[in-house]
mmCIF file of all heavy atoms in Angstrom:
data_model
loop_
_atom_site.group_PDB
_atom_site.id
_atom_site.type_symbol
_atom_site.label_atom_id
_atom_site.label_comp_id
_atom_site.label_asym_id
_atom_site.label_seq_id
_atom_site.Cartn_x
_atom_site.Cartn_y
_atom_site.Cartn_z
ATOM 1 N N GLN A 1 -7.884 12.766 9.114
ATOM 2 C CA GLN A 1 -7.558 12.516 7.708
ATOM 3 C C GLN A 1 -6.085 12.823 7.440
ATOM 4 O O GLN A 1 -5.394 12.101 6.717
ATOM 5 C CB GLN A 1 -8.470 13.363 6.809
ATOM 6 C CG GLN A 1 -8.345 13.068 5.334
ATOM 7 C CD GLN A 1 -8.812 11.677 4.987
ATOM 8 O OE1 GLN A 1 -9.635 11.124 5.675
ATOM 9 N NE2 GLN A 1 -8.282 11.113 3.912
ATOM 10 N N THR A 2 -5.620 13.939 8.033
ATOM 11 C CA THR A 2 -4.207 14.287 7.872
ATOM 12 C C THR A 2 -3.312 13.223 8.495
ATOM 13 O O THR A 2 -2.287 12.831 7.914
ATOM 14 C CB THR A 2 -3.942 15.655 8.522
ATOM 15 O OG1 THR A 2 -4.815 16.640 7.930
ATOM 16 C CG2 THR A 2 -2.500 16.075 8.323
ATOM 17 N N LYS A 3 -3.694 12.732 9.685
ATOM 18 C CA LYS A 3 -2.900 11.700 10.351
ATOM 19 C C LYS A 3 -2.898 10.405 9.539
ATOM 20 O O LYS A 3 -1.885 9.697 9.476
ATOM 21 C CB LYS A 3 -3.447 11.432 11.758
ATOM 22 C CG LYS A 3 -3.244 12.586 12.737
ATOM 23 C CD LYS A 3 -1.766 12.808 13.002
ATOM 24 C CE LYS A 3 -1.547 13.924 14.024
ATOM 25 N NZ LYS A 3 -0.113 14.161 14.264
ATOM 26 N N ILE A 4 -4.027 10.089 8.925
ATOM 27 C CA ILE A 4 -4.091 8.863 8.116
ATOM 28 C C ILE A 4 -3.147 8.965 6.929
ATOM 29 O O ILE A 4 -2.400 8.019 6.607
ATOM 30 C CB ILE A 4 -5.543 8.614 7.660
ATOM 31 C CG1 ILE A 4 -6.406 8.197 8.849
ATOM 32 C CG2 ILE A 4 -5.600 7.535 6.575
ATOM 33 C CD1 ILE A 4 -7.879 8.106 8.537
ATOM 34 N N GLN A 5 -3.171 10.111 6.244
ATOM 35 C CA GLN A 5 -2.268 10.300 5.116
ATOM 36 C C GLN A 5 -0.810 10.244 5.564
ATOM 37 O O GLN A 5 0.051 9.657 4.890
ATOM 38 C CB GLN A 5 -2.569 11.646 4.427
ATOM 39 C CG GLN A 5 -3.943 11.722 3.784
ATOM 40 C CD GLN A 5 -4.123 10.687 2.685
ATOM 41 O OE1 GLN A 5 -3.164 10.330 1.992
ATOM 42 N NE2 GLN A 5 -5.355 10.226 2.507
ATOM 43 N N GLU A 6 -0.530 10.862 6.719
ATOM 44 C CA GLU A 6 0.832 10.826 7.246
ATOM 45 C C GLU A 6 1.250 9.391 7.569
ATOM 46 O O GLU A 6 2.377 8.974 7.279
ATOM 47 C CB GLU A 6 0.902 11.695 8.508
ATOM 48 C CG GLU A 6 2.274 11.708 9.163
ATOM 49 C CD GLU A 6 2.278 12.527 10.440
ATOM 50 O OE1 GLU A 6 1.269 13.232 10.689
ATOM 51 O OE2 GLU A 6 3.274 12.455 11.184
ATOM 52 N N PHE A 7 0.329 8.623 8.151
ATOM 53 C CA PHE A 7 0.618 7.228 8.490
ATOM 54 C C PHE A 7 0.893 6.396 7.239
ATOM 55 O O PHE A 7 1.809 5.573 7.214
ATOM 56 C CB PHE A 7 -0.558 6.653 9.272
ATOM 57 C CG PHE A 7 -0.403 5.203 9.615
ATOM 58 C CD1 PHE A 7 0.491 4.790 10.582
ATOM 59 C CD2 PHE A 7 -1.155 4.241 8.945
ATOM 60 C CE1 PHE A 7 0.629 3.443 10.894
ATOM 61 C CE2 PHE A 7 -1.012 2.906 9.247
ATOM 62 C CZ PHE A 7 -0.120 2.507 10.225
ATOM 63 N N ARG A 8 0.113 6.608 6.192
ATOM 64 C CA ARG A 8 0.317 5.872 4.948
ATOM 65 C C ARG A 8 1.685 6.194 4.331
ATOM 66 O O ARG A 8 2.387 5.310 3.831
ATOM 67 C CB ARG A 8 -0.800 6.202 3.959
ATOM 68 C CG ARG A 8 -2.136 5.568 4.316
ATOM 69 C CD ARG A 8 -3.252 6.111 3.423
ATOM 70 N NE ARG A 8 -2.968 5.850 2.031
ATOM 71 C CZ ARG A 8 -3.284 4.730 1.401
ATOM 72 N NH1 ARG A 8 -3.893 3.760 2.048
ATOM 73 N NH2 ARG A 8 -3.013 4.566 0.123
ATOM 74 N N LYS A 9 2.065 7.478 4.367
ATOM 75 C CA LYS A 9 3.370 7.857 3.812
ATOM 76 C C LYS A 9 4.513 7.253 4.626
ATOM 77 O O LYS A 9 5.517 6.804 4.060
ATOM 78 C CB LYS A 9 3.481 9.383 3.782
ATOM 79 C CG LYS A 9 2.535 10.053 2.780
ATOM 80 C CD LYS A 9 2.679 11.560 2.818
ATOM 81 C CE LYS A 9 1.732 12.233 1.831
ATOM 82 N NZ LYS A 9 1.826 13.712 1.877
ATOM 83 N N VAL A 10 4.352 7.235 5.955
ATOM 84 C CA VAL A 10 5.395 6.658 6.801
ATOM 85 C C VAL A 10 5.532 5.162 6.525
ATOM 86 O O VAL A 10 6.650 4.636 6.417
ATOM 87 C CB VAL A 10 5.069 6.920 8.291
ATOM 88 C CG1 VAL A 10 6.003 6.105 9.197
ATOM 89 C CG2 VAL A 10 5.217 8.400 8.607
ATOM 90 N N CYS A 11 4.393 4.460 6.395
ATOM 91 C CA CYS A 11 4.440 3.024 6.079
ATOM 92 C C CYS A 11 5.119 2.788 4.740
ATOM 93 O O CYS A 11 5.937 1.865 4.596
ATOM 94 C CB CYS A 11 3.020 2.447 6.066
ATOM 95 S SG CYS A 11 2.272 2.320 7.693
ATOM 96 N N TYR A 12 4.804 3.620 3.761
ATOM 97 C CA TYR A 12 5.378 3.437 2.427
ATOM 98 C C TYR A 12 6.890 3.690 2.454
ATOM 99 O O TYR A 12 7.668 2.986 1.820
ATOM 100 C CB TYR A 12 4.686 4.375 1.458
ATOM 101 C CG TYR A 12 5.150 4.222 0.017
ATOM 102 C CD1 TYR A 12 4.809 3.092 -0.723
ATOM 103 C CD2 TYR A 12 5.915 5.207 -0.587
ATOM 104 C CE1 TYR A 12 5.228 2.949 -2.031
ATOM 105 C CE2 TYR A 12 6.334 5.077 -1.900
ATOM 106 C CZ TYR A 12 5.988 3.939 -2.624
ATOM 107 O OH TYR A 12 6.403 3.808 -3.913
ATOM 108 N N THR A 13 7.305 4.710 3.226
ATOM 109 C CA THR A 13 8.733 5.049 3.269
ATOM 110 C C THR A 13 9.534 4.008 4.033
ATOM 111 O O THR A 13 10.645 3.632 3.623
ATOM 112 C CB THR A 13 8.914 6.433 3.922
ATOM 113 O OG1 THR A 13 8.168 7.405 3.180
ATOM 114 C CG2 THR A 13 10.377 6.834 3.933
ATOM 115 N N LEU A 14 9.001 3.508 5.159
ATOM 116 C CA LEU A 14 9.750 2.584 6.002
ATOM 117 C C LEU A 14 9.703 1.152 5.503
ATOM 118 O O LEU A 14 10.701 0.429 5.586
ATOM 119 C CB LEU A 14 9.223 2.640 7.434
ATOM 120 C CG LEU A 14 9.433 3.966 8.176
ATOM 121 C CD1 LEU A 14 8.841 3.875 9.569
ATOM 122 C CD2 LEU A 14 10.915 4.313 8.256
ATOM 123 N N THR A 15 8.581 0.711 4.993
ATOM 124 C CA THR A 15 8.444 -0.691 4.572
ATOM 125 C C THR A 15 8.632 -0.883 3.083
ATOM 126 O O THR A 15 8.910 -2.005 2.639
ATOM 127 C CB THR A 15 7.068 -1.234 4.974
ATOM 128 O OG1 THR A 15 6.042 -0.533 4.244
ATOM 129 C CG2 THR A 15 6.831 -1.048 6.466
ATOM 130 N N GLY A 16 8.453 0.185 2.299
ATOM 131 C CA GLY A 16 8.585 0.050 0.850
ATOM 132 C C GLY A 16 7.331 -0.460 0.178
ATOM 133 O O GLY A 16 7.356 -0.760 -1.015
ATOM 134 N N TYR A 17 6.239 -0.557 0.904
ATOM 135 C CA TYR A 17 4.990 -1.062 0.347
ATOM 136 C C TYR A 17 3.864 -0.054 0.612
ATOM 137 O O TYR A 17 3.741 0.487 1.720
ATOM 138 C CB TYR A 17 4.612 -2.411 0.959
ATOM 139 C CG TYR A 17 5.480 -3.551 0.487
ATOM 140 C CD1 TYR A 17 6.601 -3.936 1.224
ATOM 141 C CD2 TYR A 17 5.191 -4.230 -0.687
ATOM 142 C CE1 TYR A 17 7.414 -4.981 0.793
ATOM 143 C CE2 TYR A 17 5.997 -5.276 -1.124
ATOM 144 C CZ TYR A 17 7.093 -5.644 -0.385
ATOM 145 O OH TYR A 17 7.892 -6.678 -0.807
ATOM 146 N N GLN A 18 3.048 0.138 -0.432
ATOM 147 C CA GLN A 18 1.838 0.942 -0.280
ATOM 148 C C GLN A 18 0.670 -0.008 -0.030
ATOM 149 O O GLN A 18 0.414 -0.921 -0.823
ATOM 150 C CB GLN A 18 1.567 1.759 -1.543
ATOM 151 C CG GLN A 18 0.293 2.595 -1.472
ATOM 152 C CD GLN A 18 0.104 3.431 -2.729
ATOM 153 O OE1 GLN A 18 1.033 3.632 -3.494
ATOM 154 N NE2 GLN A 18 -1.103 3.899 -2.944
ATOM 155 N N VAL A 19 -0.036 0.199 1.064
ATOM 156 C CA VAL A 19 -1.127 -0.689 1.475
ATOM 157 C C VAL A 19 -2.452 -0.009 1.157
ATOM 158 O O VAL A 19 -2.695 1.119 1.598
ATOM 159 C CB VAL A 19 -1.030 -1.033 2.976
ATOM 160 C CG1 VAL A 19 -2.142 -1.998 3.370
ATOM 161 C CG2 VAL A 19 0.327 -1.625 3.299
ATOM 162 N N ASP A 20 -3.295 -0.708 0.401
ATOM 163 C CA ASP A 20 -4.629 -0.215 0.055
ATOM 164 C C ASP A 20 -5.654 -1.283 0.415
ATOM 165 O O ASP A 20 -5.385 -2.492 0.297
ATOM 166 C CB ASP A 20 -4.736 0.117 -1.440
ATOM 167 C CG ASP A 20 -3.774 1.221 -1.853
ATOM 168 O OD1 ASP A 20 -3.822 2.293 -1.246
ATOM 169 O OD2 ASP A 20 -2.959 0.987 -2.770
ATOM 170 N N ILE A 21 -6.821 -0.840 0.847
ATOM 171 C CA ILE A 21 -7.923 -1.748 1.162
ATOM 172 C C ILE A 21 -8.804 -1.866 -0.075
ATOM 173 O O ILE A 21 -9.443 -0.900 -0.490
ATOM 174 C CB ILE A 21 -8.739 -1.246 2.364
ATOM 175 C CG1 ILE A 21 -7.836 -1.105 3.596
ATOM 176 C CG2 ILE A 21 -9.903 -2.189 2.668
ATOM 177 C CD1 ILE A 21 -8.537 -0.521 4.796
ATOM 178 N N THR A 22 -8.806 -3.056 -0.680
ATOM 179 C CA THR A 22 -9.602 -3.260 -1.895
ATOM 180 C C THR A 22 -11.058 -3.559 -1.566
ATOM 181 O O THR A 22 -11.968 -3.044 -2.194
ATOM 182 C CB THR A 22 -9.013 -4.405 -2.719
ATOM 183 O OG1 THR A 22 -8.974 -5.598 -1.919
ATOM 184 C CG2 THR A 22 -7.596 -4.069 -3.168
ATOM 185 N N ARG A 23 -11.275 -4.383 -0.577
ATOM 186 C CA ARG A 23 -12.612 -4.690 -0.084
ATOM 187 C C ARG A 23 -12.474 -5.109 1.373
ATOM 188 O O ARG A 23 -11.370 -5.042 1.922
ATOM 189 C CB ARG A 23 -13.277 -5.802 -0.908
ATOM 190 C CG ARG A 23 -12.513 -7.131 -0.883
ATOM 191 C CD ARG A 23 -13.195 -8.190 -1.733
ATOM 192 N NE ARG A 23 -13.172 -7.829 -3.146
ATOM 193 C CZ ARG A 23 -13.702 -8.582 -4.099
ATOM 194 N NH1 ARG A 23 -14.305 -9.715 -3.767
ATOM 195 N NH2 ARG A 23 -13.616 -8.223 -5.358
ATOM 196 N N GLU A 24 -13.556 -5.499 1.974
ATOM 197 C CA GLU A 24 -13.504 -5.833 3.395
ATOM 198 C C GLU A 24 -12.584 -7.026 3.628
ATOM 199 O O GLU A 24 -12.706 -8.063 2.985
ATOM 200 C CB GLU A 24 -14.910 -6.172 3.906
ATOM 201 C CG GLU A 24 -14.975 -6.422 5.404
ATOM 202 C CD GLU A 24 -16.384 -6.684 5.884
ATOM 203 O OE1 GLU A 24 -17.286 -6.684 5.040
ATOM 204 O OE2 GLU A 24 -16.559 -6.880 7.088
ATOM 205 N N SER A 25 -11.632 -6.848 4.543
ATOM 206 C CA SER A 25 -10.672 -7.879 4.964
ATOM 207 C C SER A 25 -9.691 -8.256 3.859
ATOM 208 O O SER A 25 -9.063 -9.305 3.936
ATOM 209 C CB SER A 25 -11.407 -9.144 5.458
ATOM 210 O OG SER A 25 -12.250 -8.842 6.527
ATOM 211 N N GLN A 26 -9.561 -7.433 2.803
ATOM 212 C CA GLN A 26 -8.573 -7.693 1.757
ATOM 213 C C GLN A 26 -7.691 -6.461 1.587
ATOM 214 O O GLN A 26 -8.194 -5.330 1.530
ATOM 215 C CB GLN A 26 -9.248 -8.046 0.421
ATOM 216 C CG GLN A 26 -9.818 -9.450 0.390
ATOM 217 C CD GLN A 26 -10.179 -9.891 -1.015
ATOM 218 O OE1 GLN A 26 -9.890 -9.187 -1.985
ATOM 219 N NE2 GLN A 26 -10.821 -11.043 -1.132
ATOM 220 N N TYR A 27 -6.357 -6.701 1.477
ATOM 221 C CA TYR A 27 -5.398 -5.614 1.424
ATOM 222 C C TYR A 27 -4.450 -5.855 0.240
ATOM 223 O O TYR A 27 -3.952 -6.964 0.039
ATOM 224 C CB TYR A 27 -4.596 -5.543 2.736
ATOM 225 C CG TYR A 27 -5.474 -5.449 3.958
ATOM 226 C CD1 TYR A 27 -5.884 -6.605 4.630
ATOM 227 C CD2 TYR A 27 -5.928 -4.225 4.421
ATOM 228 C CE1 TYR A 27 -6.713 -6.527 5.733
ATOM 229 C CE2 TYR A 27 -6.747 -4.137 5.534
ATOM 230 C CZ TYR A 27 -7.134 -5.294 6.182
ATOM 231 O OH TYR A 27 -7.951 -5.215 7.269
ATOM 232 N N ARG A 28 -4.219 -4.779 -0.512
ATOM 233 C CA ARG A 28 -3.338 -4.846 -1.668
ATOM 234 C C ARG A 28 -2.017 -4.158 -1.333
ATOM 235 O O ARG A 28 -2.006 -3.002 -0.896
ATOM 236 C CB ARG A 28 -3.994 -4.173 -2.872
ATOM 237 C CG ARG A 28 -3.137 -4.214 -4.144
ATOM 238 C CD ARG A 28 -3.874 -3.537 -5.280
ATOM 239 N NE ARG A 28 -4.101 -2.138 -4.965
ATOM 240 C CZ ARG A 28 -5.082 -1.401 -5.507
ATOM 241 N NH1 ARG A 28 -5.909 -1.938 -6.369
ATOM 242 N NH2 ARG A 28 -5.225 -0.124 -5.167
ATOM 243 N N LEU A 29 -0.896 -4.843 -1.564
ATOM 244 C CA LEU A 29 0.441 -4.328 -1.299
ATOM 245 C C LEU A 29 1.154 -4.119 -2.628
ATOM 246 O O LEU A 29 1.254 -5.044 -3.444
ATOM 247 C CB LEU A 29 1.245 -5.289 -0.427
ATOM 248 C CG LEU A 29 1.049 -5.179 1.101
ATOM 249 C CD1 LEU A 29 -0.352 -5.615 1.492
ATOM 250 C CD2 LEU A 29 2.091 -6.004 1.839
ATOM 251 N N THR A 30 1.641 -2.886 -2.818
ATOM 252 C CA THR A 30 2.378 -2.541 -4.033
ATOM 253 C C THR A 30 3.753 -2.035 -3.629
ATOM 254 O O THR A 30 3.870 -1.080 -2.856
ATOM 255 C CB THR A 30 1.630 -1.471 -4.838
ATOM 256 O OG1 THR A 30 0.304 -1.920 -5.109
ATOM 257 C CG2 THR A 30 2.342 -1.192 -6.152
ATOM 258 N N SER A 31 4.794 -2.669 -4.129
ATOM 259 C CA SER A 31 6.166 -2.298 -3.773
ATOM 260 C C SER A 31 6.590 -1.043 -4.539
ATOM 261 O O SER A 31 6.191 -0.825 -5.684
ATOM 262 C CB SER A 31 7.126 -3.449 -4.080
ATOM 263 O OG SER A 31 8.458 -3.053 -3.838
ATOM 264 N N MET A 32 7.422 -0.227 -3.884
ATOM 265 C CA MET A 32 7.950 0.961 -4.559
ATOM 266 C C MET A 32 8.946 0.587 -5.659
ATOM 267 O O MET A 32 9.252 1.405 -6.524
ATOM 268 C CB MET A 32 8.608 1.891 -3.526
ATOM 269 C CG MET A 32 9.845 1.300 -2.862
ATOM 270 S SD MET A 32 10.771 2.519 -1.897
ATOM 271 C CE MET A 32 9.559 3.081 -0.743
ATOM 272 N N TYR A 33 9.424 -0.657 -5.622
ATOM 273 C CA TYR A 33 10.352 -1.118 -6.651
ATOM 274 C C TYR A 33 9.673 -1.994 -7.705
ATOM 275 O O TYR A 33 10.342 -2.709 -8.446
ATOM 276 C CB TYR A 33 11.492 -1.919 -6.003
ATOM 277 C CG TYR A 33 12.242 -1.147 -4.967
ATOM 278 C CD1 TYR A 33 12.231 -1.529 -3.626
ATOM 279 C CD2 TYR A 33 12.966 0.006 -5.310
ATOM 280 C CE1 TYR A 33 12.912 -0.802 -2.662
ATOM 281 C CE2 TYR A 33 13.656 0.725 -4.351
ATOM 282 C CZ TYR A 33 13.622 0.325 -3.029
ATOM 283 O OH TYR A 33 14.303 1.044 -2.080
ATOM 284 N N ALA A 34 8.337 -1.975 -7.745
ATOM 285 C CA ALA A 34 7.616 -2.800 -8.715
ATOM 286 C C ALA A 34 7.945 -2.351 -10.137
ATOM 287 O O ALA A 34 8.054 -1.148 -10.418
ATOM 288 C CB ALA A 34 6.119 -2.715 -8.464
ATOM 289 N N GLU A 35 8.111 -3.321 -11.029
ATOM 290 C CA GLU A 35 8.435 -3.008 -12.410
ATOM 291 C C GLU A 35 7.230 -2.477 -13.171
ATOM 292 O O GLU A 35 7.373 -1.701 -14.110
ATOM 293 C CB GLU A 35 8.979 -4.266 -13.093
ATOM 294 C CG GLU A 35 10.277 -4.778 -12.463
ATOM 295 C CD GLU A 35 10.739 -6.076 -13.110
ATOM 296 O OE1 GLU A 35 9.949 -6.659 -13.882
ATOM 297 O OE2 GLU A 35 11.883 -6.495 -12.858
ATOM 298 N N HIS A 36 6.036 -2.909 -12.807
ATOM 299 C CA HIS A 36 4.804 -2.450 -13.448
ATOM 300 C C HIS A 36 3.828 -2.020 -12.366
ATOM 301 O O HIS A 36 3.860 -2.512 -11.231
ATOM 302 C CB HIS A 36 4.178 -3.556 -14.309
ATOM 303 C CG HIS A 36 5.128 -4.135 -15.329
ATOM 304 N ND1 HIS A 36 5.935 -5.216 -15.046
ATOM 305 C CD2 HIS A 36 5.394 -3.763 -16.611
ATOM 306 C CE1 HIS A 36 6.667 -5.512 -16.108
ATOM 307 N NE2 HIS A 36 6.363 -4.641 -17.079
ATOM 308 N N LYS A 37 2.940 -1.121 -12.707
ATOM 309 C CA LYS A 37 2.003 -0.595 -11.715
ATOM 310 C C LYS A 37 0.976 -1.631 -11.285
ATOM 311 O O LYS A 37 0.364 -1.510 -10.210
ATOM 312 C CB LYS A 37 1.281 0.646 -12.258
ATOM 313 C CG LYS A 37 0.408 0.357 -13.476
ATOM 314 C CD LYS A 37 -0.297 1.617 -13.929
ATOM 315 C CE LYS A 37 -1.211 1.352 -15.130
ATOM 316 N NZ LYS A 37 -1.921 2.582 -15.562
ATOM 317 N N ASP A 38 0.768 -2.667 -12.117
ATOM 318 C CA ASP A 38 -0.186 -3.716 -11.758
ATOM 319 C C ASP A 38 0.457 -4.842 -10.957
ATOM 320 O O ASP A 38 -0.242 -5.798 -10.579
ATOM 321 C CB ASP A 38 -0.824 -4.306 -13.022
ATOM 322 C CG ASP A 38 -1.671 -3.270 -13.760
ATOM 323 O OD1 ASP A 38 -2.170 -2.361 -13.089
ATOM 324 O OD2 ASP A 38 -1.824 -3.381 -14.995
ATOM 325 N N ASP A 39 1.778 -4.773 -10.706
ATOM 326 C CA ASP A 39 2.440 -5.806 -9.913
ATOM 327 C C ASP A 39 2.112 -5.593 -8.442
ATOM 328 O O ASP A 39 2.596 -4.638 -7.812
ATOM 329 C CB ASP A 39 3.956 -5.758 -10.124
ATOM 330 C CG ASP A 39 4.336 -6.154 -11.541
ATOM 331 O OD1 ASP A 39 3.467 -6.708 -12.244
ATOM 332 O OD2 ASP A 39 5.493 -5.887 -11.938
ATOM 333 N N CYS A 40 1.294 -6.453 -7.906
ATOM 334 C CA CYS A 40 0.855 -6.270 -6.517
ATOM 335 C C CYS A 40 0.577 -7.630 -5.893
ATOM 336 O O CYS A 40 0.432 -8.646 -6.573
ATOM 337 C CB CYS A 40 -0.393 -5.379 -6.443
ATOM 338 S SG CYS A 40 -1.827 -6.099 -7.259
ATOM 339 N N LEU A 41 0.504 -7.614 -4.577
ATOM 340 C CA LEU A 41 0.140 -8.787 -3.787
ATOM 341 C C LEU A 41 -1.156 -8.477 -3.047
ATOM 342 O O LEU A 41 -1.366 -7.349 -2.599
ATOM 343 C CB LEU A 41 1.233 -9.134 -2.769
ATOM 344 C CG LEU A 41 2.612 -9.478 -3.340
ATOM 345 C CD1 LEU A 41 3.618 -9.595 -2.204
ATOM 346 C CD2 LEU A 41 2.557 -10.768 -4.141
ATOM 347 N N ILE A 42 -1.993 -9.486 -2.907
ATOM 348 C CA ILE A 42 -3.270 -9.311 -2.211
ATOM 349 C C ILE A 42 -3.320 -10.306 -1.054
ATOM 350 O O ILE A 42 -3.167 -11.516 -1.263
ATOM 351 C CB ILE A 42 -4.471 -9.521 -3.162
ATOM 352 C CG1 ILE A 42 -4.460 -8.450 -4.255
ATOM 353 C CG2 ILE A 42 -5.778 -9.469 -2.373
ATOM 354 C CD1 ILE A 42 -5.604 -8.578 -5.245
ATOM 355 N N PHE A 43 -3.492 -9.772 0.146
ATOM 356 C CA PHE A 43 -3.626 -10.596 1.343
ATOM 357 C C PHE A 43 -5.053 -10.477 1.860
ATOM 358 O O PHE A 43 -5.675 -9.410 1.789
ATOM 359 C CB PHE A 43 -2.649 -10.153 2.441
ATOM 360 C CG PHE A 43 -1.220 -10.516 2.155
ATOM 361 C CD1 PHE A 43 -0.391 -9.658 1.434
ATOM 362 C CD2 PHE A 43 -0.703 -11.723 2.591
ATOM 363 C CE1 PHE A 43 0.916 -9.981 1.176
ATOM 364 C CE2 PHE A 43 0.615 -12.051 2.333
ATOM 365 C CZ PHE A 43 1.433 -11.195 1.622
#
């Protein structure tokens, strides 16, 4: 769990995007420079 949190922080710091799993096979990307908290991309 600690490694997962560390990995998420490293991804956010290096890429500028926070990656969250919304449902199976769907991923939500939120930029650290987003103007609104709901501004996101879904892949």
Side-chain angles (χ1 to χ4, degrees):
Q1 187 66 27
T2 303
K3 291 295 182 181
I4 289 172
Q5 295 298 328
E6 179 183 350
F7 177 73
R8 287 171 59 86
K9 292 179 180 178
V10 169
C11 289
Y12 183 71
T13 302
L14 294 179
T15 65
Y17 288 94
Q18 178 178 343
V19 182
D20 298 305
I21 301 176
T22 58
R23 61 181 66 180
E24 185 177 1
S25 301
Q26 285 193 7
Y27 306 91
R28 181 179 62 204
L29 275 68
T30 305
S31 175
M32 65 169 58
Y33 303 115
E35 298 176 349
H36 306 90
K37 63 178 181 179
D38 295 332
D39 293 346
C40 64
L41 299 172
I42 296 180
F43 287 89

